[in-house]
Amino acid sequence: MAGEARMHAKSDSEVTSVDQSWPARSPRRPLYYVQSPSNHDAEKMSYGSSPLGSPHHFYHSSPIHHSRESSTSRFSVSLKNPRNLSTWKKLHQSQHSDDEDEDDVGADQGSGRNIRLYLCFFLLFVLLFTVFSLILWGASKSYDPKVLVKNIVFESLNIQAGNDDTGVATDMLSLNSTVRILYRNPATFFGVHVTSTPLELHYHQLSLASGLVKEFYVKRKKERKMAVVVSGHQVPLYGGVSALGNAREQRQNVALPLNLTFVMRSRANILGSLVRSKFYRRIRCYVTLHGNSLGKPSTLTHSCLYN
């Protein structure tokens, strides 16, 4: 027993001496580094180790290399797996705003292209319509209406003494006649509306009788016959008509040269009010009133000028 006690005491002393001789360990200094979360070890972002505890693994890096690798790894981690809600919202909003900008640019380009297309179609339509209208208008000019003054009938002639509106004594003339006119529309694709100035019988500059033509319409390739009454009542002569000097005594010997004048207007609505053609025919006929031919038609077919 005493021997065993001496052995234990000896071993304790040896351990104590060994422990005292062994240098005291310095406190462990933790090392941290960041790895990319591309593998299973991504979740283990940091851990500590000691060179004494890990004899087979040593990590040597300069501070500059360590900082660059850490910043790059953190940026890649934040992009691949954003754990912060505000960061995710910012990324989502930026992507959404980029998509909206692209959509707006595409919509603006599409609307601009549609506007240019509509404008081109409109201009093309206007051009074609203008060309078509000009063709119709030019074609209509070849269908000039035909006006023919066929004859005139002097039905009555009366000359008597009288007074004008101011009370001046002079010879007064009353004349009644009928003019027959043939109007023909040779056009094949439009009708015409026809008006006329008053038909007037003149002795030089003195108007002796007049008559009105009512407005009428003639269809395509149709004709119309008219009988217009041209008359004058109590027209003062003031001695200006020398050929009627002895008309009251010898009426049958009267030969009074007269001019029949009027203007015939024709209007063709080819395409409504958009395309119109107008025709004017100025007519002047030379006729002689014979006192012995009252009631008989006087042919004017070859006695008129048409301009």
Side-chain angles (χ1 to χ4, degrees):
M1 296 295 290
E4 293 179 357
R6 285 192 300 267
M7 291 178 66
H8 284 294
K10 184 179 181 180
S11 63
D12 292 336
S13 64
E14 291 177 355
V15 169
T16 303
S17 64
V18 171
D19 293 337
Q20 291 177 355
S21 65
W22 191 267
R25 293 183 179 179
S26 61
R28 294 182 179 180
R29 184 179 297 172
L31 297 178
Y32 298 92
Y33 65 95
V34 179
Q35 293 181 350
S36 176
S38 60
N39 52 15
H40 180 68
D41 295 334
E43 296 180 356
K44 300 177 182 181
M45 301 300 295
S46 64
Y47 62 91
S49 63
S50 173
L52 296 177
S54 301
H56 299 289
H57 179 77
F58 296 93
Y59 182 80
H60 300 281
S61 64
S62 64
I64 298 175
H65 177 76
H66 177 72
S67 61
R68 290 181 179 176
E69 184 179 0
S70 300
S71 61
T72 306
S73 301
R74 288 171 185 171
F75 181 72
S76 63
V77 169
S78 63
L79 290 178
K80 294 182 179 179
N81 188 15
R83 295 181 181 180
N84 194 350
L85 182 60
S86 62
T87 304
W88 183 85
K89 287 183 177 179
K90 290 180 181 178
L91 292 175
H92 181 71
Q93 290 177 357
S94 63
Q95 292 177 358
H96 185 66
S97 62
D98 293 339
D99 294 339
E100 288 183 350
D101 293 340
E102 291 178 358
D103 294 339
D104 293 339
V105 171
D108 294 339
Q109 292 178 354
S111 61
R113 189 180 300 108
N114 291 334
I115 291 174
R116 290 193 296 270
L117 185 61
Y118 294 151
L119 182 61
C120 291
F121 276 123
F122 177 74
L123 294 177
L124 181 61
F125 173 77
V126 172
L127 179 61
L128 293 178
F129 181 78
T130 303
V131 173
F132 180 70
S133 300
L134 290 175
I135 292 174
L136 289 179
W137 181 82
S140 65
K141 289 301 180 181
S142 61
Y143 296 97
D144 193 4
K146 307 300 181 182
V147 181
L148 178 63
V149 181
K150 299 182 70 176
N151 58 58
I152 182 172
V153 179
F154 292 101
E155 298 170 352
S156 64
L157 174 64
N158 187 18
I159 301 173
Q160 60 185 13
N163 298 320
D164 62 5
D165 295 336
T166 61
V168 177
T170 182
D171 291 336
M172 311 293 289
L173 181 143
S174 296
L175 176 65
N176 190 19
S177 62
T178 302
V179 179
R180 288 181 171 80
I181 303 172
L182 175 65
Y183 184 95
R184 184 174 181 273
N185 178 22
T188 58
F189 59 94
F190 61 85
V192 290
H193 299 268
V194 184
T195 58
S196 175
T197 60
L199 278 70
E200 293 184 349
L201 283 171
H202 294 269
Y203 178 79
H204 297 290
Q205 300 298 325
L206 179 62
S207 178
L208 300 180
S210 65
L212 296 176
V213 178
K214 294 182 179 181
E215 183 179 357
F216 59 93
Y217 177 78
V218 181
K219 297 180 180 180
R220 57 183 181 178
K221 303 193 71 172
K222 297 292 183 181
E223 63 182 24
R224 182 186 180 95
K225 295 179 180 180
M226 296 169 286
V228 184
V229 176
V230 181
S231 62
H233 179 69
Q234 296 293 315
V235 179
L237 300 179
Y238 300 109
V241 183
S242 58
L244 297 177
N246 57 354
R248 284 184 292 179
E249 293 80 9
Q250 299 178 356
R251 183 179 303 175
Q252 293 184 356
N253 295 330
V254 172
L256 183 64
L258 300 173
N259 295 324
L260 175 66
T261 59
F262 64 98
V263 178
M264 192 76 73
R265 307 190 191 97
S266 304
R267 184 186 74 252
N269 296 330
I270 301 174
L271 287 178
S273 59
L274 297 177
V275 180
R276 290 181 175 181
S277 289
K278 295 182 179 181
F279 307 92
Y280 297 91
R281 182 55 60 93
R282 293 173 175 81
I283 301 168
R284 184 183 188 91
C285 300
Y286 299 95
V287 58
T288 301
L289 190 161
H290 295 281
N292 58 358
S293 298
L294 295 177
K296 298 179 180 180
S298 298
T299 303
L300 299 177
T301 304
H302 303 288
S303 301
C304 297
L305 299 177
Y306 302 92
N307 298 321

